[in-house]
Amino acid sequence: MSTPWVRFFFWVYLFFLVWAAATVTNPADPDLWHRLAVGEFLWQTGHFPPGDAFSYLSDYKQVADHEWGSALAFYTLWHWGGGIAIVATKLVTLTVTLALVVWAGMHDRRPTMLLGGFYALVLLALLPSFQSTLRCMVFTHILFALWVCWFQRERQGRPVPTFLYVLTMIVWANLHGGFVVGLGWLLVVTVIEWGHQGSWKKWAIRSGLCALATLINPFGWQLWIATGRALLTTRRGFNEWAPVSWGSDALNYPGFKLLFLGVLVALAIQIYRKGWQRIDRPGVILLGVFMVLALISARHTSLFAVVAGALAPGLFPFRWTYALQVRPLRRLVAVGINFALVLVPLYTALRILPGAGLDL
């Protein structure tokens, strides 16, 4: 089969999995009503409330709402399209996020069944942040995936203008407090480039400009105060802010756990075979940073999925070696694994359809 057709069926396969995963269930996250209330207030009054007026935390009443942009977007969708528009937006945001991750990881590689199975696993690891109807954090995932995609593009010799980082940071800072993830990404890349005698000054300038760009918001410095409070607030009883359990709740976050263990074992094998000097050290370091973050909080597992989906294909071949193909028995095993990696997710998707569909 020619490469264009292979790519076509590769993308159709992934988008079908996204459709099944995003429409199997649509529980309305409690924060959705909080966001809709803020959005309605902005629509009706035309000005911002004195603080996060609809927060269930009393000390947030006088703190700037650092997710006002998401609230306005959600209420606009609800006002024009109701629950269907909200669920459809979840479907679109998950599709865009996965597409950016795949573009970052694939580059000009020919799709294989191993890659199809790998990205089905990445999708499963992304789902905890997209399973509820719609949350502000979906914008962080899209923009973070875009930045990782730009990072990969520049590593391939195709420069990205700095002003694009600044523009997207302005949007990001007004949508979700996760913009600090973007600033952290720029800082880590700057340090890595400095350590490897790369173009660290370019990344340092981007980091500084993007930090300043976050001040372009209705609240000025208050945005940083609100975001800082949100990051430091103790969230006992909220499982997504606690570390992922590997014991009694072993079935929770299955995609992350399989992806984490697979990447960890593959990294160990690659480092052993090639040695530290011959491997893609920046990629390994970035994967390591987000592996640690994912172990600290379940909220970060989907961010690890973005980084792993973008960087892992450049570290591992995702194809069977020639020696494995020429031996009949081993080739039979390889064919069996290939089909299992593709058919198991496909069969699961067919079993869960039609699910809740676009109903809220």
Side-chain angles (χ1 to χ4, degrees):
M1 186 179 297
S2 63
T3 299
W5 280 107
V6 171
R7 290 186 179 276
F8 172 77
F9 285 112
F10 176 81
W11 284 105
V12 168
Y13 170 75
L14 290 181
F15 289 155
F16 177 74
L17 295 185
V18 169
W19 172 268
T23 58
V24 60
T25 178
N26 294 314
D29 187 86
D31 282 344
L32 175 62
W33 313 116
H34 179 187
R35 296 294 90 207
L36 291 176
V38 174
E40 184 180 35
F41 183 92
L42 291 171
W43 260 63
Q44 293 179 351
T45 66
H47 62 80
F48 294 92
D52 195 352
F54 301 97
S55 176
Y56 52 83
L57 299 175
S58 59
D59 61 344
Y60 265 51
K61 302 302 182 183
Q62 301 303 319
V63 177
D65 190 333
H66 61 290
E67 297 173 348
W68 72 272
S70 294
L72 193 58
F74 291 173
Y75 183 74
T76 302
L77 290 167
W78 177 272
H79 183 74
W80 287 344
I84 291 179
I86 294 290
V87 179
T89 302
K90 179 185 78 166
L91 178 61
V92 171
T93 52
L94 178 56
T95 301
V96 173
T97 300
L98 183 64
L100 289 169
V101 171
V102 175
W103 283 334
M106 290 278 293
H107 184 38
D108 56 356
R109 293 180 179 85
R110 186 177 186 272
T112 64
M113 286 188 171
L114 285 176
L115 273 173
F118 170 72
Y119 281 116
L121 184 57
V122 169
L123 171 61
L124 184 61
L126 284 172
L127 281 185
S129 294
F130 290 85
Q131 202 66 70
S132 63
T133 307
L134 194 59
R135 305 178 69 180
C136 305
M137 63 192 303
V138 299
F139 296 118
T140 282
H141 285 76
I142 289 178
L143 291 167
F144 180 58
L146 177 63
W147 279 25
V148 175
C149 188
W150 284 347
F151 172 74
Q152 287 289 77
R153 177 186 175 91
E154 293 200 273
R155 297 178 81 196
Q156 296 154 7
R158 295 177 292 172
V160 176
T162 296
F163 80 88
L164 291 180
Y165 281 90
V166 176
L167 289 178
T168 49
M169 176 51 74
I170 294 172
V171 175
W172 197 345
N174 286 280
L175 287 173
H176 186 235
F179 70 87
V180 296
V181 174
L183 295 178
W185 170 265
L186 293 177
L187 182 60
V188 171
V189 173
T190 300
V191 173
I192 292 174
E193 289 292 309
W194 175 77
H196 290 83
Q197 298 181 344
S199 55
W200 65 271
K201 292 182 180 179
K202 174 183 69 177
W203 290 99
I205 291 172
R206 287 174 174 173
S207 182
L209 290 176
C210 285
L212 292 174
T214 62
L215 298 177
I216 304 177
N217 69 82
F219 313 107
W221 287 103
Q222 291 297 317
L223 176 71
W224 272 96
I225 296 175
T227 303
R229 289 169 66 93
L231 292 173
L232 297 176
T233 296
T234 301
R235 291 178 171 84
R236 294 187 180 91
F238 291 83
N239 292 333
E240 67 174 352
W241 286 99
V244 174
S245 173
W246 295 79
S248 57
D249 296 328
L251 295 180
N252 286 341
Y253 297 92
F256 160 69
K257 292 175 180 177
L258 290 173
L259 184 63
F260 182 91
L261 293 175
V263 170
L264 184 64
V265 172
L267 278 178
I269 294 174
Q270 289 294 90
I271 293 174
Y272 174 77
R273 287 180 175 178
K274 295 184 177 181
W276 181 247
Q277 297 300 322
R278 296 175 56 197
I279 203 168
D280 176 17
R281 286 172 289 175
V284 173
I285 293 172
L286 287 169
L287 277 171
V289 168
F290 280 85
M291 290 174 88
V292 171
L293 287 176
L295 290 175
I296 293 174
S297 172
R299 189 79 178 262
H300 302 147
T301 57
S302 51
L303 297 177
F304 164 71
V306 170
V307 176
L311 300 183
L315 292 166
F316 319 121
F318 284 101
R319 62 179 182 274
W320 298 106
T321 62
Y322 177 75
L324 185 62
Q325 292 178 350
V326 296
R327 298 187 179 184
L329 184 57
R330 291 186 178 182
R331 184 169 186 175
L332 182 62
V333 171
V335 170
I337 294 175
N338 277 346
F339 276 96
L341 289 174
V342 172
L343 293 180
V344 169
L346 181 62
Y347 174 75
T348 304
L350 291 172
R351 283 292 303 271
I352 63 178
L353 284 174
L358 295 178
D359 292 331
L360 177 59

